[in-house]
Coordinates of all heavy atoms in Angstrom, one line a residue:
M1013 N 0.8 -1.2 0.0 CA 0.0 0.0 0.0 C 0.9 1.2 0.0 O 1.7 1.4 0.8 CB -0.9 0.0 1.2 CG -2.0 -1.0 1.1 SD -3.5 -0.5 1.9 CE -3.0 -0.1 3.5
R1014 N 0.6 2.1 -0.9 CA 1.4 3.4 -1.0 C 0.4 4.5 -0.9 O -0.8 4.4 -1.0 CB 2.2 3.4 -2.2 CG 3.4 2.5 -2.2 CD 4.3 2.7 -3.4 NE 3.6 2.4 -4.6 CZ 4.0 2.7 -5.8 NH1 5.1 3.4 -5.9 NH2 3.3 2.4 -6.9
G1015 N 1.0 5.7 -0.9 CA 0.1 6.9 -0.9 C 0.0 7.5 0.5 O 0.3 6.9 1.5
S1016 N -0.7 8.6 0.5 CA -0.8 9.4 1.7 C -2.1 9.1 2.5 O -2.3 9.6 3.5 CB -0.6 10.9 1.4 OG -1.6 11.3 0.5
R1017 N -3.0 8.3 1.8 CA -4.2 8.1 2.5 C -4.1 7.0 3.5 O -4.3 5.8 3.2 CB -5.3 7.8 1.4 CG -6.0 9.0 0.9 CD -7.2 8.7 0.1 NE -7.5 7.3 0.0 CZ -8.7 6.9 -0.4 NH1 -9.6 7.7 -0.6 NH2 -8.9 5.6 -0.5
A1018 N -3.8 7.4 4.7 CA -3.6 6.4 5.8 C -5.0 5.9 6.2 O -5.9 6.8 6.5 CB -2.9 6.9 6.9
A1019 N -5.3 4.6 6.1 CA -6.6 4.2 6.5 C -6.8 3.8 7.9 O -7.8 3.8 8.4 CB -6.9 2.9 5.6
G1020 N -5.7 3.6 8.6 CA -5.7 3.1 9.9 C -6.1 4.1 10.9 O -6.2 5.3 10.7
A1021 N -6.4 3.6 12.1 CA -6.8 4.5 13.2 C -5.5 5.1 13.9 O -4.4 4.5 13.8 CB -7.6 3.8 14.2
T1022 N -5.7 6.3 14.4 CA -4.6 6.9 15.1 C -4.9 7.0 16.6 O -6.1 7.2 17.0 CB -4.5 8.4 14.6 OG1 -4.5 8.4 13.2 CG2 -3.2 9.0 15.1
T1023 N -3.9 6.7 17.4 CA -4.2 6.8 18.9 C -3.7 8.2 19.3 O -2.6 8.7 18.9 CB -3.5 5.7 19.6 OG1 -2.1 5.7 19.3 CG2 -4.1 4.4 19.3
T1024 N -4.4 8.7 20.3 CA -4.0 10.0 20.8 C -4.6 10.1 22.2 O -5.1 9.1 22.7 CB -4.6 11.2 19.9 OG1 -4.3 12.4 20.4 CG2 -6.2 11.1 19.9
R1025 N -4.4 11.3 22.8 CA -5.0 11.4 24.1 C -5.9 12.6 24.2 O -5.6 13.6 23.5 CB -3.8 11.7 25.1 CG -3.3 10.4 25.8 CD -2.1 10.8 26.6 NE -1.5 9.6 27.2 CZ -1.8 9.3 28.5 NH1 -2.6 10.0 29.2 NH2 -1.3 8.2 29.0
C1026 N -6.9 12.5 24.9 CA -7.8 13.7 25.1 C -7.1 14.8 25.7 O -6.5 14.6 26.8 CB -9.1 13.3 25.9 SG -10.2 14.6 26.2
P1027 N -7.1 16.0 25.1 CA -6.4 17.1 25.8 C -7.0 17.5 27.1 O -6.3 18.2 27.9 CB -6.5 18.2 24.7 CG -7.6 17.8 23.8 CD -7.7 16.3 23.9
S1028 N -8.2 17.2 27.3 CA -8.9 17.6 28.6 C -8.7 16.6 29.7 O -8.3 17.0 30.8 CB -10.4 17.8 28.3 OG -10.6 18.7 27.3
C1029 N -8.9 15.3 29.5 CA -8.9 14.4 30.6 C -7.8 13.4 30.4 O -7.6 12.6 31.3 CB -10.3 13.7 30.7 SG -10.6 12.6 29.3
G1030 N -7.1 13.4 29.3 CA -5.9 12.5 29.2 C -6.3 11.0 28.8 O -5.4 10.2 28.8
T1031 N -7.6 10.8 28.6 CA -7.9 9.4 28.2 C -7.3 9.0 26.9 O -7.3 9.9 26.0 CB -9.5 9.3 28.1 OG1 -10.0 9.7 29.4 CG2 -9.9 7.9 27.8
H1032 N -6.9 7.8 26.8 CA -6.4 7.3 25.5 C -7.6 7.2 24.5 O -8.6 6.6 24.8 CB -5.8 5.9 25.7 CG -4.4 6.0 26.2 ND1 -3.3 6.3 25.4 CD2 -3.9 5.8 27.4 CE1 -2.2 6.3 26.1 NE2 -2.6 6.0 27.3
L1033 N -7.4 7.7 23.3 CA -8.4 7.8 22.3 C -8.0 7.1 21.0 O -6.8 7.1 20.8 CB -8.9 9.2 22.0 CG -9.4 10.0 23.2 CD1 -9.7 11.5 22.8 CD2 -10.6 9.4 23.8
I1034 N -8.9 6.7 20.3 CA -8.6 6.2 18.9 C -9.4 7.2 18.0 O -10.6 7.3 18.2 CB -9.1 4.8 18.7 CG1 -8.4 3.9 19.6 CG2 -8.9 4.4 17.3 CD1 -8.9 2.4 19.5
T1035 N -8.7 7.8 17.0 CA -9.4 8.6 16.1 C -9.2 8.1 14.7 O -8.1 7.6 14.4 CB -9.0 10.1 16.2 OG1 -7.6 10.2 15.8 CG2 -9.1 10.6 17.6
Q1036 N -10.2 8.3 13.9 CA -10.1 7.9 12.5 C -11.2 8.5 11.7 O -12.3 8.6 12.2 CB -10.1 6.4 12.4 CG -9.8 5.9 11.0 CD -10.2 4.4 10.9 OE1 -9.9 3.6 11.6 NE2 -11.1 4.1 9.9
W1037 N -10.9 8.8 10.4 CA -12.0 9.1 9.5 C -12.6 7.8 9.0 O -11.9 6.9 8.5 CB -11.5 9.9 8.3 CG -11.2 11.3 8.7 CD1 -10.0 11.8 9.0 CD2 -12.1 12.4 8.8 NE1 -10.1 13.2 9.3 CE2 -11.4 13.5 9.2 CE3 -13.5 12.5 8.6 CZ2 -12.0 14.8 9.4 CZ3 -14.1 13.7 8.8 CH2 -13.4 14.9 9.1
V1038 N -13.9 7.6 9.3 CA -14.6 6.4 8.9 C -15.5 6.6 7.8 O -16.3 7.6 7.8 CB -15.3 5.8 10.1 CG1 -16.0 4.5 9.8 CG2 -14.4 5.6 11.3
G1039 N -15.4 5.8 6.8 CA -16.3 5.9 5.6 C -15.5 6.6 4.5 O -14.6 7.3 4.7
R1040 N -15.9 6.3 3.3 CA -15.2 6.8 2.1 C -15.9 8.1 1.5 O -15.2 9.0 1.1 CB -15.1 5.8 1.0 CG -14.0 4.8 1.4 CD -14.2 3.5 0.7 NE -13.5 2.4 1.4 CZ -12.3 2.0 1.0 NH1 -11.7 2.5 -0.1 NH2 -11.7 1.0 1.6
V1041 N -17.2 8.1 1.5 CA -17.8 9.2 0.8 C -18.2 10.3 1.8 O -17.7 11.4 1.7 CB -19.1 8.7 0.1 CG1 -19.8 9.8 -0.6 CG2 -18.8 7.5 -0.9
A1042 N -19.0 9.9 2.7 CA -19.3 10.9 3.8 C -18.7 10.5 5.1 O -19.2 9.8 5.9 CB -20.9 11.0 4.0
A1043 N -17.4 10.8 5.1 CA -16.6 10.3 6.2 C -16.9 11.0 7.5 O -17.1 12.2 7.5 CB -15.1 10.4 5.9
L1044 N -17.0 10.3 8.6 CA -17.2 10.8 9.9 C -15.9 10.7 10.7 O -15.2 9.7 10.6 CB -18.2 10.0 10.6 CG -19.7 10.5 10.7 CD1 -20.6 9.4 11.2 CD2 -19.7 11.7 11.7
H1045 N -15.6 11.7 11.4 CA -14.4 11.7 12.2 C -14.8 11.1 13.6 O -15.4 11.7 14.4 CB -13.8 13.1 12.4 CG -12.4 13.0 13.0 ND1 -12.1 13.5 14.2 CD2 -11.3 12.4 12.5 CE1 -10.8 13.3 14.5 NE2 -10.3 12.6 13.5
A1046 N -14.4 9.8 13.7 CA -14.7 9.1 15.0 C -13.6 9.4 16.0 O -12.4 9.4 15.7 CB -14.8 7.6 14.7
R1047 N -14.0 9.6 17.2 CA -13.1 9.9 18.3 C -13.6 9.1 19.5 O -14.5 9.5 20.2 CB -13.1 11.4 18.6 CG -12.0 11.9 19.4 CD -12.0 13.5 19.3 NE -11.2 14.1 20.3 CZ -11.7 14.5 21.5 NH1 -12.9 14.3 21.8 NH2 -10.9 15.0 22.4
C1048 N -12.9 8.0 19.7 CA -13.5 7.0 20.7 C -12.5 6.7 21.8 O -11.3 6.9 21.7 CB -13.7 5.7 20.0 SG -14.7 5.9 18.5
D1049 N -13.1 6.3 22.9 CA -12.3 5.8 24.0 C -11.5 4.6 23.5 O -12.1 3.7 22.8 CB -13.1 5.3 25.2 CG -13.7 6.5 25.9 OD1 -13.2 7.6 25.8 OD2 -14.8 6.4 26.6
A1050 N -10.3 4.5 23.8 CA -9.5 3.3 23.3 C -9.9 2.0 23.9 O -9.7 1.0 23.3 CB -8.0 3.6 23.5
A1051 N -10.4 2.1 25.1 CA -10.8 0.9 25.8 C -12.1 0.4 25.3 O -13.1 1.1 25.3 CB -10.9 1.2 27.3
P1052 N -12.1 -0.9 24.8 CA -13.4 -1.5 24.3 C -14.4 -1.6 25.4 O -14.1 -1.8 26.6 CB -12.9 -2.8 23.7 CG -11.5 -2.8 23.7 CD -11.0 -1.8 24.7
I1053 N -15.7 -1.6 25.0 CA -16.7 -1.8 25.9 C -17.5 -3.1 25.6 O -17.4 -3.6 24.5 CB -17.7 -0.6 25.9 CG1 -18.3 -0.4 24.5 CG2 -17.0 0.7 26.4 CD1 -19.5 0.6 24.5
G1054 N -18.1 -3.6 26.6 CA -18.9 -4.8 26.4 C -20.3 -4.5 25.9 O -20.7 -3.4 25.9
P1055 N -21.0 -5.6 25.5 CA -22.4 -5.4 24.9 C -23.3 -4.7 25.9 O -24.2 -3.9 25.5 CB -22.8 -6.8 24.5 CG -21.7 -7.7 24.8 CD -20.6 -7.0 25.5
E1056 N -23.2 -5.0 27.1 CA -24.2 -4.5 28.1 C -23.9 -3.0 28.3 O -24.8 -2.2 28.4 CB -24.2 -5.2 29.4 CG -22.9 -5.3 30.2 CD -21.8 -6.0 29.6 OE1 -22.0 -6.9 28.7 OE2 -20.6 -5.7 29.9
H1057 N -22.6 -2.6 28.2 CA -22.3 -1.2 28.3 C -22.7 -0.5 27.0 O -23.2 0.7 27.1 CB -20.8 -1.0 28.5 CG -20.3 -1.1 29.9 ND1 -19.7 -2.3 30.3 CD2 -20.4 -0.3 30.9 CE1 -19.4 -2.1 31.6 NE2 -19.9 -0.9 32.0
E1058 N -22.6 -1.1 25.9 CA -23.0 -0.5 24.7 C -24.5 -0.1 24.7 O -24.9 0.9 24.3 CB -22.7 -1.4 23.5 CG -23.1 -0.8 22.2 CD -22.9 -1.7 21.0 OE1 -22.9 -2.9 21.2 OE2 -22.7 -1.1 19.9
Q1059 N -25.3 -1.1 25.2 CA -26.7 -0.8 25.3 C -27.0 0.4 26.2 O -27.9 1.2 26.0 CB -27.5 -2.0 25.8 CG -27.6 -3.1 24.8 CD -28.7 -4.1 25.1 OE1 -29.2 -4.1 26.2 NE2 -29.2 -4.7 24.0
L1060 N -26.3 0.4 27.3 CA -26.5 1.5 28.3 C -26.1 2.9 27.8 O -26.7 3.9 28.0 CB -25.8 1.2 29.6 CG -26.4 0.2 30.5 CD1 -25.4 -0.1 31.7 CD2 -27.7 0.8 31.1
L1061 N -24.9 2.9 27.1 CA -24.3 4.1 26.8 C -24.6 4.7 25.5 O -24.4 5.9 25.3 CB -22.7 4.0 27.0 CG -22.2 3.6 28.3 CD1 -20.7 3.3 28.3 CD2 -22.5 4.7 29.3
R1062 N -25.0 3.9 24.5 CA -25.1 4.4 23.2 C -26.4 5.2 23.0 O -27.4 4.8 23.5 CB -25.1 3.2 22.2 CG -25.1 3.7 20.8 CD -24.8 2.7 19.8 NE -25.9 1.7 19.6 CZ -26.0 1.0 18.5 NH1 -25.1 1.0 17.6 NH2 -27.0 0.2 18.4
T1063 N -26.2 6.3 22.4 CA -27.3 7.2 22.1 C -27.2 7.6 20.6 O -26.2 7.3 20.0 CB -27.3 8.5 23.0 OG1 -26.2 9.3 22.5 CG2 -27.2 8.1 24.4
P1064 N -28.3 8.2 20.1 CA -28.1 8.7 18.7 C -27.0 9.7 18.5 O -26.5 9.8 17.4 CB -29.5 9.3 18.4 CG -30.4 8.7 19.3 CD -29.6 8.4 20.6
D1065 N -26.6 10.3 19.6 CA -25.5 11.3 19.5 C -24.1 10.7 19.9 O -23.1 11.4 19.8 CB -25.7 12.5 20.4 CG -26.9 13.3 19.9 OD1 -27.1 13.3 18.7 OD2 -27.7 13.8 20.7
R1066 N -24.2 9.5 20.3 CA -22.9 8.8 20.7 C -22.9 7.5 20.1 O -23.4 6.5 20.6 CB -22.9 8.8 22.3 CG -21.6 8.5 22.8 CD -21.5 8.5 24.3 NE -20.2 8.3 24.8 CZ -19.8 7.9 26.0 NH1 -20.8 7.8 26.9 NH2 -18.6 7.8 26.3
L1067 N -22.2 7.4 19.0 CA -22.1 6.2 18.3 C -21.1 5.2 18.8 O -20.1 5.6 19.5 CB -21.8 6.5 16.8 CG -22.8 7.3 16.0 CD1 -22.2 7.7 14.7 CD2 -24.1 6.7 15.9
T1068 N -21.3 3.9 18.5 CA -20.3 2.9 18.8 C -19.7 2.4 17.4 O -20.4 2.5 16.4 CB -20.9 1.8 19.6 OG1 -22.0 1.3 18.9 CG2 -21.3 2.2 21.0
W1069 N -18.5 1.9 17.5 CA -17.8 1.5 16.3 C -17.2 0.1 16.6 O -16.8 -0.2 17.7 CB -16.7 2.5 15.9 CG -17.2 3.9 15.8 CD1 -17.2 4.8 16.7 CD2 -17.6 4.5 14.6 NE1 -17.7 6.0 16.2 CE2 -18.0 5.8 14.9 CE3 -17.8 4.1 13.3 CZ2 -18.5 6.7 13.9 CZ3 -18.3 4.9 12.3 CH2 -18.6 6.3 12.7
C1070 N -17.1 -0.6 15.5 CA -16.3 -1.9 15.6 C -14.8 -1.5 15.5 O -14.4 -0.7 14.6 CB -16.7 -2.8 14.4 SG -18.2 -3.7 14.7
L1071 N -14.0 -2.1 16.3 CA -12.6 -1.9 16.2 C -12.0 -3.2 15.6 O -12.0 -4.2 16.3 CB -12.0 -1.6 17.6 CG -10.5 -1.4 17.6 CD1 -10.1 -0.2 16.7 CD2 -10.0 -1.2 19.0
V1072 N -11.6 -3.1 14.4 CA -11.0 -4.2 13.7 C -9.5 -4.3 14.0 O -8.8 -3.3 13.6 CB -11.3 -4.2 12.2 CG1 -10.8 -5.4 11.5 CG2 -12.8 -4.0 12.0
T1073 N -9.1 -5.3 14.6 CA -7.7 -5.4 14.9 C -7.2 -6.8 14.4 O -7.9 -7.7 14.1 CB -7.4 -5.4 16.4 OG1 -8.2 -6.3 17.1 CG2 -7.7 -4.0 16.9
G1074 N -5.9 -6.9 14.3 CA -5.3 -8.2 13.9 C -3.8 -8.1 14.1 O -3.3 -7.0 14.2
R1075 N -3.3 -9.2 14.1 CA -1.8 -9.3 14.4 C -1.0 -8.6 13.3 O 0.0 -8.0 13.6 CB -1.4 -10.8 14.4 CG -0.1 -11.0 14.9 CD 0.2 -12.5 14.8 NE 0.0 -13.2 16.1 CZ 1.0 -13.8 16.7 NH1 2.1 -14.0 16.1 NH2 0.7 -14.4 17.8
W1076 N -1.5 -8.6 12.1 CA -0.7 -8.1 11.0 C -1.2 -6.9 10.4 O -0.9 -6.5 9.3 CB -0.5 -9.2 9.9 CG 0.0 -10.5 10.4 CD1 -0.7 -11.6 10.5 CD2 1.3 -10.7 11.0 NE1 0.1 -12.6 11.1 CE2 1.3 -12.1 11.4 CE3 2.4 -10.0 11.2 CZ2 2.4 -12.7 11.9 CZ3 3.5 -10.5 11.7 CH2 3.5 -11.9 12.1
R1077 N -2.1 -6.2 11.1 CA -2.7 -5.1 10.4 C -2.9 -3.9 11.5 O -2.8 -4.2 12.7 CB -4.1 -5.4 9.9 CG -5.0 -6.0 10.9 CD -6.4 -6.1 10.4 NE -6.9 -4.7 10.1 CZ -7.8 -4.4 9.2 NH1 -8.4 -5.4 8.5 NH2 -8.2 -3.2 9.0
E1078 N -3.0 -2.7 10.9 CA -3.3 -1.6 11.8 C -4.7 -1.7 12.3 O -5.6 -2.1 11.6 CB -3.2 -0.3 10.9 CG -1.8 -0.1 10.3 CD -0.9 0.5 11.3 OE1 -1.2 1.6 11.9 OE2 0.2 0.0 11.6
P1079 N -4.9 -1.2 13.5 CA -6.3 -1.1 14.0 C -7.1 -0.2 13.1 O -6.6 0.8 12.6 CB -6.2 -0.5 15.4 CG -4.7 -0.7 15.8 CD -4.0 -0.7 14.5
E1080 N -8.4 -0.6 12.9 CA -9.2 0.2 12.1 C -10.6 0.3 12.6 O -11.2 -0.7 13.0 CB -9.2 -0.4 10.6 CG -10.0 0.5 9.7 CD -10.2 -0.2 8.3 OE1 -9.4 -1.2 8.1 OE2 -11.0 0.2 7.5
L1081 N -11.2 1.5 12.6 CA -12.6 1.6 13.1 C -13.5 1.4 11.9 O -13.2 1.9 10.8 CB -12.8 3.1 13.6 CG -12.0 3.4 14.9 CD1 -12.2 4.9 15.2 CD2 -12.5 2.6 16.1
R1082 N -14.6 0.8 12.1 CA -15.6 0.5 11.1 C -16.9 0.8 11.6 O -17.2 0.7 12.8 CB -15.5 -0.9 10.6 CG -14.3 -1.2 9.8 CD -14.6 -2.3 8.8 NE -13.3 -2.8 8.3 CZ -13.1 -4.1 8.0 NH1 -14.0 -5.0 8.3 NH2 -11.9 -4.4 7.5
W1083 N -17.9 1.1 10.7 CA -19.3 1.2 11.1 C -19.6 -0.1 11.8 O -19.2 -1.2 11.4 CB -20.2 1.3 9.9 CG -20.0 2.7 9.2 CD1 -19.3 3.0 8.1 CD2 -20.6 3.9 9.7 NE1 -19.5 4.3 7.9 CE2 -20.3 4.9 8.8 CE3 -21.5 4.2 10.8 CZ2 -20.7 6.2 9.0 CZ3 -21.9 5.5 10.9 CH2 -21.5 6.5 10.0
R1084 N -20.4 0.0 12.8 CA -20.8 -1.1 13.6 C -21.5 -2.2 12.7 O -22.3 -1.9 11.9 CB -21.9 -0.6 14.6 CG -22.1 -1.5 15.8 CD -20.9 -1.5 16.8 NE -21.3 -2.3 17.9 CZ -21.2 -3.6 17.8 NH1 -20.6 -4.2 16.8 NH2 -21.6 -4.4 18.9
C1085 N -21.0 -3.4 12.9 CA -21.6 -4.5 12.1 C -23.1 -4.7 12.5 O -23.5 -4.6 13.6 CB -20.9 -5.8 12.5 SG -19.2 -5.8 12.1
P1086 N -23.9 -4.9 11.5 CA -25.3 -5.1 11.7 C -25.6 -6.4 12.4 O -26.6 -6.6 13.1 CB -26.0 -5.0 10.4 CG -24.9 -5.3 9.4 CD -23.6 -4.9 10.0
S1087 N -24.6 -7.3 12.3 CA -24.9 -8.7 12.8 C -24.6 -8.7 14.3 O -23.6 -8.1 14.8 CB -24.0 -9.7 12.1 OG -23.9 -10.9 12.8
R1088 N -25.4 -9.5 15.0 CA -25.1 -9.7 16.4 C -24.0 -10.7 16.6 O -23.5 -10.9 17.7 CB -26.3 -10.2 17.1 CG -27.4 -9.1 17.2 CD -28.5 -9.5 18.0 NE -29.5 -8.4 18.1 CZ -30.5 -8.4 19.0 NH1 -30.7 -9.4 19.8 NH2 -31.4 -7.5 19.0
Q1089 N -23.6 -11.3 15.6 CA -22.5 -12.3 15.7 C -21.1 -11.6 15.6 O -20.1 -12.3 15.6 CB -22.6 -13.3 14.5 CG -24.0 -13.9 14.4 CD -24.3 -14.7 15.6 OE1 -23.5 -15.4 16.2 NE2 -25.6 -14.6 16.1
C1090 N -21.2 -10.3 15.5 CA -19.9 -9.6 15.4 C -19.0 -9.9 16.5 O -19.4 -9.9 17.7 CB -20.2 -8.1 15.3 SG -18.8 -7.1 15.6
T1091 N -17.8 -10.2 16.2 CA -16.8 -10.5 17.3 C -15.7 -9.4 17.5 O -14.8 -9.7 18.2 CB -16.1 -11.9 17.0 OG1 -15.5 -11.8 15.7 CG2 -17.1 -13.0 17.0
H1092 N -16.0 -8.3 16.8 CA -15.0 -7.2 17.0 C -15.1 -6.6 18.4 O -16.1 -6.7 19.0 CB -15.3 -6.1 15.9 CG -15.1 -6.6 14.5 ND1 -16.1 -6.4 13.6 CD2 -14.1 -7.3 13.9 CE1 -15.7 -6.9 12.4 NE2 -14.5 -7.4 12.6
D1093 N -14.0 -6.0 18.7 CA -14.1 -5.1 19.9 C -15.0 -3.9 19.5 O -15.0 -3.5 18.4 CB -12.7 -4.6 20.3 CG -11.9 -5.6 21.1 OD1 -12.5 -6.5 21.6 OD2 -10.7 -5.5 21.1
V1094 N -15.7 -3.4 20.5 CA -16.6 -2.3 20.3 C -16.1 -1.1 21.1 O -15.8 -1.2 22.3 CB -18.0 -2.6 20.6 CG1 -18.9 -1.4 20.5 CG2 -18.5 -3.7 19.7
V1095 N -15.9 0.0 20.4 CA -15.5 1.2 21.2 C -16.6 2.3 21.0 O -17.4 2.2 20.0 CB -14.1 1.8 20.7 CG1 -13.0 0.8 21.0 CG2 -14.2 2.0 19.2
I1096 N -16.6 3.2 21.9 CA -17.7 4.2 21.9 C -17.1 5.6 21.9 O -16.0 5.8 22.4 CB -18.6 4.0 23.1 CG1 -19.9 4.9 23.0 CG2 -17.9 4.3 24.4 CD1 -21.0 4.5 24.0
E1097 N -17.8 6.5 21.3 CA -17.3 7.9 21.1 C -17.0 8.4 22.5 O -17.7 8.2 23.5 CB -18.4 8.8 20.5 CG -18.2 8.9 19.0 CD -19.3 9.8 18.5 OE1 -19.3 11.0 18.9 OE2 -20.1 9.4 17.7
H1098 N -15.9 9.2 22.5 CA -15.4 9.8 23.8 C -16.3 10.9 24.2 O -16.5 11.9 23.4 CB -14.0 10.2 23.7 CG -13.5 10.8 24.9 ND1 -13.4 10.2 26.1 CD2 -13.0 12.1 25.2 CE1 -12.9 11.0 27.0 NE2 -12.6 12.2 26.5
H1099 N -16.9 10.8 25.3 CA -17.6 12.0 25.9 C -16.8 12.4 27.1 O -16.7 11.7 28.1 CB -19.1 11.7 26.3 CG -20.0 11.9 25.1 ND1 -21.3 12.2 25.3 CD2 -19.8 12.0 23.8 CE1 -21.9 12.4 24.1 NE2 -21.0 12.2 23.2
C1100 N -16.3 13.6 27.1 CA -15.4 14.0 28.1 C -16.1 14.3 29.4 O -17.1 14.9 29.4 CB -14.6 15.2 27.6 SG -13.1 15.4 28.5
R1101 N -15.6 13.8 30.5 CA -16.2 14.0 31.8 C -15.7 15.3 32.4 O -16.2 15.8 33.4 CB -15.9 12.9 32.7 CG -16.7 11.6 32.3 CD -16.6 10.5 33.3 NE -17.0 9.3 32.6 CZ -16.7 8.1 33.0 NH1 -15.9 8.0 34.1 NH2 -17.1 7.0 32.4
Q1102 N -14.6 15.8 31.8 CA -14.1 17.1 32.3 C -15.1 18.2 31.9 O -15.3 18.3 30.7 CB -12.7 17.4 31.9 CG -11.7 16.3 32.2 CD -11.4 16.3 33.7 OE1 -11.8 17.2 34.4 NE2 -10.9 15.2 34.2
P1103 N -15.6 19.0 32.8 CA -16.5 20.1 32.4 C -15.9 21.1 31.4 O -16.5 21.5 30.5 CB -16.9 20.7 33.7 CG -15.9 20.3 34.7 CD -15.3 19.0 34.2
A1104 N -14.7 21.5 31.7 CA -14.0 22.5 30.8 C -12.6 22.1 30.6 O -11.9 21.8 31.6 CB -14.1 23.9 31.5
P1105 N -12.2 22.1 29.4 CA -10.8 21.8 29.1 C -9.8 22.9 29.7 O -10.1 24.1 29.6 CB -10.7 21.7 27.6 CG -11.9 22.5 27.1 CD -12.9 22.5 28.2
P1106 N -8.8 22.5 30.3 CA -7.8 23.5 30.9 C -7.1 24.2 29.7 O -6.8 23.5 28.7 CB -6.9 22.6 31.7 CG -7.0 21.3 31.1 CD -8.4 21.1 30.6
S1107 N -6.9 25.4 29.9 CA -6.3 26.2 28.8 C -4.8 26.2 28.9 O -4.2 26.9 28.1 CB -6.9 27.6 28.7 OG -6.7 28.2 30.0
T1108 N -4.3 25.5 29.8 CA -2.9 25.5 30.0 C -2.1 24.8 28.9 O -2.5 23.7 28.5 CB -2.5 24.7 31.3 OG1 -3.4 25.2 32.3 CG2 -1.1 25.1 31.7
L1109 N -1.2 25.5 28.3 CA -0.4 24.9 27.2 C 1.0 24.8 27.7 O 1.6 25.8 28.2 CB -0.5 25.7 25.9 CG -1.8 25.7 25.2 CD1 -1.8 26.6 24.0 CD2 -2.1 24.3 24.7
F1110 N 1.6 23.7 27.5 CA 3.0 23.5 27.9 C 3.9 23.8 26.8 O 3.7 23.4 25.7 CB 3.2 22.1 28.4 CG 2.4 21.8 29.7 CD1 1.2 21.1 29.6 CD2 2.8 22.3 30.9 CE1 0.5 20.8 30.7 CE2 2.1 22.0 32.0 CZ 0.9 21.3 32.0
Ligands
LIG549 ZN1 -18.0 -5.8 13.9
LIG550 ZN1 -11.8 13.8 27.5

């Protein structure tokens, strides 16, 4: 694979709370910038936490590939890790810049 279009997910940290995040543009035509907690959640958490404004994504990983976020599989047989959009618990991001 060549070219500048990196398809994989990028790991970063939330500037406000320091949580590890996974970010990636998901989709080819109308891409959405997903910004998720890096820690996968279980199905029961997904049911509790997911809202129309807070999407969950499949995290496709493998030994020989870069992690990649995908639209949630419609199938309940999906065996991917599931991550959810990061909603920051910090009320206001600190403006301190180092
Ligand atoms: Zn899946
Ligand atoms: Zn945060």
Side-chain angles (χ1 to χ4, degrees):
M1013 288 215 305
R1014 288 186 298 167
S1016 56
R1017 271 191 0 162
T1022 311
T1023 54
T1024 181
R1025 268 172 180 265
C1026 175
S1028 304
C1029 65
T1031 303
H1032 280 283
L1033 303 177
I1034 299 176
T1035 65
Q1036 188 197 305
W1037 286 97
V1038 183
R1040 282 156 200 263
V1041 181
L1044 256 168
H1045 192 242
R1047 192 164 167 273
C1048 307
D1049 289 339
I1053 59 171
E1056 62 294 335
H1057 277 103
E1058 183 183 21
Q1059 286 204 339
L1060 280 172
L1061 296 173
R1062 186 164 76 157
T1063 69
D1065 293 327
R1066 197 180 182 193
L1067 299 174
T1068 52
W1069 305 91
C1070 280
L1071 179 63
V1072 184
T1073 54
R1075 190 183 261 240
W1076 307 112
R1077 53 168 301 152
E1078 298 277 306
E1080 184 186 346
L1081 295 172
R1082 291 211 191 139
W1083 289 101
R1084 198 74 177 81
C1085 297
S1087 165
R1088 293 188 177 193
Q1089 309 298 317
C1090 165
T1091 56
H1092 297 129
D1093 281 339
V1094 174
V1095 293
I1096 190 162
E1097 267 183 62
H1098 178 62
H1099 270 204
C1100 203
R1101 290 185 195 160
Q1102 301 290 347
S1107 54
T1108 315
L1109 289 175
F1110 294 101

